[in-house]
Amino acid sequence: MAEAARLISAVPADHRVALVDPRFIGHVHALRLGLTDPRFPVAAVPGALTARPEARPALVRALDTATAAVGAGVPTGAPGAPVTDRTVPGRLAAALDAGGTEVRRPELGSLVAAVPTDDATRAEAESALASVDDEAVRLRSAVKAHDGFFTTFFISPYSRYIARWCARRGLTPNQVTTASLLTALIAAGSAATGTRGGYVAAGVLLLLSFVLDCTDGQLARYSLQYSTMGAWLDATFDRAKEYAYYAGLALGAARGGDDVWALALGAMVLQACRHVIDFSFNEANHDAVANSSPTAALSTKLDSVGWTVWVRRMIVLPIGERWAMIAVLTAVTTPRIVFYALLVGCSFAACYTTAGRLLRSLTRKAKRTDRAARALADLADSGPLAEAVAAVGPRLGGSWSAPVTALLAGALMIASALTQPFGSWHTILAAVVYAMLSGMAVSRPLKGALDWLVPPAFRAAEYCTVLVLAARSDVPGALPAAFGLVSAVAYHHYDTVYRIRGGTGAPPRWLVRTIGGHEGRTLVVTVFAAVFTRNSAFTAALTALAVAVALVVLVESIRFWVSSGAPAVHDEGEPA
């Protein structure tokens, strides 16, 4: 222990330190998993321990504790927790755990990491070491454990080797992510030509972009190159690529005399609403304490039948299946058919997943935490108007009052946009009522069984209002301008999601207030429609609003994600 303390004290405080027992026998990748992952302040495998600079003070305290315990002949770890790894790194890991510092212990699977204490255990460890191909395990672990059917069987079997090729040439995941974005943008440009050759090239390039999109994550896992910038790029570029491609298809169709901007915007709105349903449900139940649900039990039972797992993953139309469908249909049909297929497929997927989540929410009694309520409030994206109503208005009672009020508000807003003449002041009145009802919906903590429906209701109301008003305006360029506005706002909502997922909370309140909140933007668009009735100024107003929102949101988002406070996360969840 004294020697370990001396060696650690000689390392500058701003450096990572690692301790490895000289008797260690194991695979290189086992050490790599334990000692080089940048996401965790402290990590350990049997016989090895690492601590990042921010955890160095805790490591020094653990050294003092472990030294005193060894000198007194008492256990190092917490009372009642036996220390199985009696090496210096193992004792330090136990002392860190006992002191309240979480020690990350990665799953090694078939990889070997051991410190033999005699010839028999050494021979056993060496035999196990020789029987496992370290590189094969590393390649397998580079692929997500749970992925879609198309990705699993048509992309990952070879993309993992592309990831290894990139790693051996010093390429980073961020470079591959950027290449994927550029490829998708070129695909969108090819689609925008409106020619059959352009559509075929667009389909091929979109598939190539998806291969690179899978490769960047596999490269990150293969080489353990996780970063804050990578988290931001990975989280946002998928949406940017997909929506840019929608715009390219719409431009291409326009060259052929077919206006499909409303369909393109509808597909984007539907996809964004699907995602916010996923995010809201997951955040509401992230740390909820609940009894078992018959729906969850049925899902677990179905998982035991192998083929049902793949069917259920396919019918939700994850990104792999969705992009494959878009690519093939682009090459052989028309943009209009592509969007019809997207709208039908995504609508079915949304109904399937939402129905399952409704059943789970209604059939189990969950006690949701303050953190979940805060996350749902942040996802609601309430602006100054809703905040004011929530502060001074009536607080609705009943466990279902929040989702019912939010859904009623959204339905009222969309119905008004659909039924009232374009530019009618009644639509503005509906927007004012919408703002009041949305404030009432969030006036109390969102801890009810169905309160996760509140953010999706607000997203659908805002996005659909913009879509309907632009489509009914009969003003040239209004729908492309609306597409840009919804894209900018959707980016803000995705940015909010990934900040919450990273544990850093939502964007600052000044940002939400500056861009008006969902109810404020909805009101502004209805005012634009009334003031600039059947006038090209409506397009200019929507464009100006889109540019203003995009600039404010992007500047703040970039500032955050390149800052030291951004989380080094990497999306390992279900494909979206």
Side-chain angles (χ1 to χ4, degrees):
M1 287 291 182
E3 178 66 9
R6 184 186 67 80
L7 292 172
I8 290 175
S9 64
V11 180
D14 59 346
H15 284 52
R16 176 202 286 266
V17 295
L19 295 90
V20 182
D21 191 287
R23 300 166 295 170
F24 177 87
I25 290 179
H27 289 100
V28 173
H29 194 53
L31 279 178
R32 189 182 290 113
L33 289 170
L35 303 182
T36 65
D37 195 323
R39 296 173 295 174
F40 309 106
V42 182
V45 294
L49 173 80
T50 186
R52 289 175 57 84
E54 62 267 28
R56 289 281 296 275
L59 179 61
V60 171
R61 291 192 298 271
L63 264 169
D64 295 339
T65 301
T67 301
V70 170
V74 297
T76 307
V83 179
T84 56
D85 183 356
R86 296 185 177 278
T87 63
V88 170
R91 291 179 184 274
L92 289 176
L96 284 163
D97 279 330
T101 300
E102 182 180 358
V103 179
R104 166 73 174 182
R105 292 177 174 83
E107 291 289 338
L108 298 181
S110 59
L111 295 174
V112 175
V115 180
T117 56
D118 53 44
D119 291 341
T121 55
R122 173 175 290 276
E124 182 182 350
E126 289 176 344
S127 175
L129 184 68
S131 66
V132 176
D133 186 342
D134 177 87
E135 181 61 19
V137 173
R138 188 181 181 190
L139 270 175
R140 286 197 303 270
S141 63
V143 179
K144 276 185 179 180
H146 303 286
D147 223 328
F149 179 86
F150 179 77
T151 304
T152 298
F153 293 103
F154 293 92
I155 304 296
S156 293
Y158 57 87
S159 62
R160 70 185 74 180
Y161 295 102
I162 301 175
R164 181 172 67 181
W165 183 90
C166 292
R168 290 177 175 177
R169 283 153 183 80
L171 297 176
T172 67
N174 292 353
Q175 291 170 332
V176 178
T177 302
T178 303
S180 175
L181 174 65
L182 293 175
T183 304
L185 293 179
I186 296 171
S190 299
T193 63
T195 64
R196 178 52 53 195
Y199 289 147
V200 172
V204 173
L205 288 169
L206 187 64
L207 286 177
L208 176 58
S209 174
F210 182 65
V211 171
L212 293 173
D213 183 56
C214 295
T215 300
D216 66 357
Q218 291 165 359
L219 175 58
R221 288 182 285 273
Y222 181 86
S223 56
L224 299 178
Q225 296 184 71
Y226 304 104
S227 68
T228 56
M229 180 62 74
W232 175 56
L233 296 178
D234 190 57
T236 57
F237 276 14
D238 279 351
R239 304 288 82 78
K241 288 181 286 188
E242 189 166 3
Y243 299 157
Y245 193 81
Y246 291 176
L249 284 174
L251 289 169
R255 286 180 177 272
D258 190 12
D259 186 353
V260 297
W261 275 107
L263 295 176
L265 181 50
M268 182 169 69
V269 168
L270 179 56
Q271 191 59 32
C273 289
R274 276 189 64 196
H275 282 144
V276 78
I277 289 172
D278 296 343
F279 298 144
S280 294
F281 179 81
N282 291 337
E283 289 302 324
N285 295 280
H286 175 73
D287 50 4
V289 178
N291 62 350
S292 61
S293 161
T295 308
L298 175 61
S299 178
T300 302
K301 185 176 181 180
L302 288 174
D303 285 343
S304 64
V305 184
W307 64 270
T308 66
V309 175
W310 294 115
V311 170
R312 290 160 63 208
R313 289 185 189 176
M314 290 174 66
I315 63 177
V316 300
L317 209 61
I319 188 169
E321 278 74 1
R322 193 167 66 251
W323 282 25
M325 181 185 74
I326 293 171
V328 171
L329 291 179
T330 298
V332 300
T333 64
T334 66
R336 180 173 289 274
I337 293 176
V338 173
F339 287 124
Y340 282 155
L342 266 175
L343 289 168
V344 171
C346 290
S347 295
F348 177 80
C351 291
Y352 170 79
T353 55
T354 304
R357 284 166 181 157
L358 285 170
L359 287 173
R360 290 190 183 209
S361 299
L362 293 173
T363 55
R364 69 177 178 181
K365 304 299 182 182
K367 183 178 181 181
R368 293 179 172 83
T369 63
D370 291 338
R371 177 206 169 278
R374 180 70 261 166
L376 290 180
D378 291 334
L379 289 172
D381 192 36
S382 300
L385 295 176
E387 284 184 334
V389 173
V392 302
R395 292 180 179 267
L396 301 177
S399 59
W400 287 16
S401 61
V404 168
T405 303
L407 290 169
L408 176 63
L412 173 67
M413 187 66 252
I414 296 171
S416 177
L418 282 169
T419 59
Q420 296 300 311
F422 177 77
S424 169
W425 290 90
H426 290 103
T427 308
I428 297 179
L429 178 61
V432 172
V433 175
Y434 169 72
M436 295 175 62
L437 290 175
S438 62
M440 294 167 62
V442 297
S443 61
R444 60 171 181 78
L446 299 176
K447 294 185 177 182
L450 297 179
D451 283 359
W452 56 270
L453 288 171
V454 171
F458 292 160
R459 293 299 81 75
E462 179 183 2
Y463 296 168
C464 289
T465 297
V466 175
L467 166 60
V468 170
L469 291 179
R472 298 189 65 204
S473 69
D474 199 25
V475 174
L479 277 167
F483 189 95
L485 174 58
V486 174
S487 297
V489 175
Y491 176 87
H492 162 61
H493 292 143
Y494 282 112
D495 186 54
T496 301
V497 165
Y498 283 100
R499 292 198 198 203
I500 294 172
R501 279 187 172 183
T504 57
R509 288 305 304 167
W510 69 261
L511 174 67
V512 177
R513 294 189 181 107
T514 299
I515 61 176
H518 68 93
E519 80 289 353
R521 291 186 299 270
T522 303
L523 178 59
V524 167
V525 171
T526 61
V527 171
F528 284 169
V531 173
F532 305 117
T533 305
R534 303 194 183 281
N535 188 314
S536 59
F538 181 60
T539 298
L542 287 181
T543 303
L545 181 59
V547 171
V549 171
L551 283 176
V552 175
V553 168
L554 280 173
V555 168
E556 163 56 21
S557 178
I558 293 171
R559 181 210 64 77
F560 170 76
W561 285 103
V562 301
S563 70
S564 59
V569 297
H570 194 80
D571 184 13
E572 299 290 341
E574 291 293 332

